[in-house]
Amino acid sequence: MKKVFSALCIAFAAAALFASSGYAAETLIKIGHVLNTDHCWHKNLSGFADEVKKDTDGRVVIQLYPSGQLGNEKDMVEGLTLGTIDGGLIGGGSFQSVDPKFGIEALPYAWPSHEAAYRAFDGKLGKYLFGLLEKKGIVGLAWWENGFRHITNNKKPIVKPEDLKGLKIRVTPDKMRLDTFKLLGAAPMAINFGELYSALQQGVVDGQENPYAIIYSNAFNEVQKYLSKSGHIWGSAVLCVNSDVWRKISDKDKDTIKKFALKWCAAQRKETIKEENEFLEKLKAKGMKVNDVDKAAFQKAVQPVWKSYEGTFGKELMDMVREYGK
């Protein structure tokens, strides 16, 4: 009995010493995303998770849930605001349910290059949008990216805006995207991403728009003939956690997480640019017919969209986009 009592005393003393040393118990953060494990989001999130665990001596452990295991992006955003989901890597446009101003990144032809978008989201625009998230209980860690979107279809090459007339194009379910393609003469349809391949295969829609990496990794080349390099929209991706999880983490470990969020953000961006050329060549090799578009004609055609959303985004944000998009 004395031995048991002595062992308990030693255990309690060790626990007290551990607590007083400033080390917190393990914090588990479950981070979800909707893309598959071959995508650069997942590969770079894995590196991020490994380094955070190592550098915090296991005090912070990040588990990844790819391929929509925690729900679609709308579900995850809602879960973040309710505190039922720890974190996610989520397309920036999906946060329009938090605040409509998150739609601003998808102004058609806002960003002439990756670098222009990076300057905006690493600068004043990104800081402003993260402030909106913070008010809703979400902590933004870094702006990763989804890249430029391009149009595929089964009917014909898209070169001029009028080539879209009457085509049924699947788009993400946000109003500005729908408005843009309606303005260009297409018949846009909001179809769940998980159902897109079969919708293309069965002819429910004629085409869709996505970055090269998503077109390739989801084998859309098997059910689409034409790829038009429209580059009409650049998309961000927000690496974030809910504030309840964030409060559990020590300041030291928060700094570590932010440091590696930015490090792997830079790696993911670099990989995205590198992969654009690689995936384009792979899609050509798979038999897709690839063509350039008349971007000047498209830029002119979408100006009414910019004008109609001035009231939604406000002059301050619109001026930021114009400044960084020069």
Side-chain angles (χ1 to χ4, degrees):
M1 192 69 181
K2 288 182 179 179
K3 289 182 179 180
V4 173
F5 180 75
S6 297
L8 286 171
C9 288
I10 292 169
F12 281 125
L17 179 63
F18 182 78
S20 65
S21 68
Y23 287 94
E26 176 187 301
T27 298
L28 177 65
I29 305 176
K30 298 178 180 180
I31 290 182
H33 65 86
V34 298
L35 299 179
N36 62 38
T37 54
D38 291 333
H39 193 273
C40 66
W41 279 13
H42 190 80
K43 289 183 283 185
N44 287 280
L45 277 174
S46 296
F48 166 66
D50 289 344
E51 289 211 81
V52 167
K53 182 178 180 180
K54 180 180 179 182
D55 217 54
T56 63
D57 296 320
R59 293 186 299 275
V60 179
V61 176
I62 294 170
Q63 289 183 354
L64 303 181
Y65 292 81
S67 305
Q69 292 179 43
L70 300 185
N72 60 33
E73 292 198 331
K74 181 181 177 183
D75 296 333
M76 286 194 288
V77 170
E78 183 178 1
L80 282 162
T81 60
L82 295 174
T84 57
I85 284 182
D86 297 342
L89 182 56
I90 301 168
S94 293
F95 288 92
Q96 289 178 75
S97 59
V98 172
D99 193 297
K101 289 183 172 65
F102 272 87
I104 197 163
E105 71 173 39
L107 279 167
Y109 292 100
W111 314 108
S113 65
H114 289 276
E115 291 73 23
Y118 300 160
R119 286 193 295 272
F121 285 86
D122 292 341
K124 292 184 292 184
L125 181 60
K127 183 177 181 180
Y128 181 98
L129 294 173
F130 272 178
L132 298 179
L133 285 186
E134 190 174 354
K135 294 175 184 176
K136 300 294 184 177
I138 302 171
V139 178
L141 299 175
W143 290 97
W144 293 30
E145 78 166 301
N146 202 13
F148 282 100
R149 302 176 81 89
H150 306 274
I151 301 169
T152 70
N153 83 100
N154 261 335
K155 299 292 186 181
K156 59 184 176 181
I158 306 301
V159 179
K160 307 179 296 297
E162 47 265 38
D163 293 330
L164 281 168
K165 188 174 181 179
L167 288 182
K168 296 176 290 184
I169 303 290
R170 181 270 178 184
V171 301
T172 54
D174 64 85
K175 187 175 183 299
M176 187 164 63
R177 193 77 53 89
L178 291 163
D179 289 346
T180 298
F181 277 86
K182 284 178 185 175
L183 175 69
L184 295 172
M189 300 173 65
I191 293 174
N192 188 289
F193 184 78
E195 300 168 3
L196 179 52
Y197 184 96
S198 60
L200 293 168
Q201 187 178 44
Q202 295 165 18
V204 175
V205 287
D206 301 314
Q208 59 87 52
E209 42 94 49
N210 259 305
Y212 297 141
I214 292 179
I215 295 169
Y216 182 83
S217 62
N218 289 276
F220 291 156
N221 57 280
E222 296 175 353
V223 288
Q224 295 277 269
K225 184 176 181 180
Y226 300 101
L227 168 56
S228 301
K229 300 191 297 180
S230 54
H232 51 287
I233 289 169
W234 177 89
S236 71
V238 180
L239 180 60
C240 57
V241 296
N242 78 56
S243 56
D244 290 338
V245 169
W246 195 241
R247 280 191 287 268
K248 297 176 184 176
I249 301 168
S250 70
D251 289 344
K252 178 183 177 182
D253 290 343
K254 284 176 182 174
D255 289 341
T256 296
I257 292 168
K258 287 189 281 190
K259 176 181 73 174
F260 289 122
L262 291 172
K263 173 184 174 180
W264 287 95
C265 165
Q268 189 264 334
R269 289 174 174 180
K270 185 176 180 180
E271 188 172 354
T272 296
I273 294 173
K274 175 175 176 286
E275 285 184 343
E276 280 190 346
N277 292 326
E278 293 175 354
F279 282 122
L280 182 59
E281 292 306 312
K282 288 178 180 180
L283 289 166
K284 288 179 181 177
K286 293 284 187 180
M288 292 198 84
K289 297 185 181 299
V290 177
N291 69 276
D292 293 316
V293 307
D294 184 348
K295 288 191 177 181
F298 274 95
Q299 287 169 335
K300 183 178 179 181
V302 300
Q303 288 312 299
V305 174
W306 282 62
K307 186 175 181 180
S308 67
Y309 278 84
E310 286 267 5
T312 300
F313 301 135
K315 185 177 185 303
E316 181 184 6
L317 284 189
M318 293 292 286
D319 285 348
M320 283 185 201
V321 172
R322 292 187 178 103
E323 174 190 344
Y324 287 111
K326 290 178 182 177

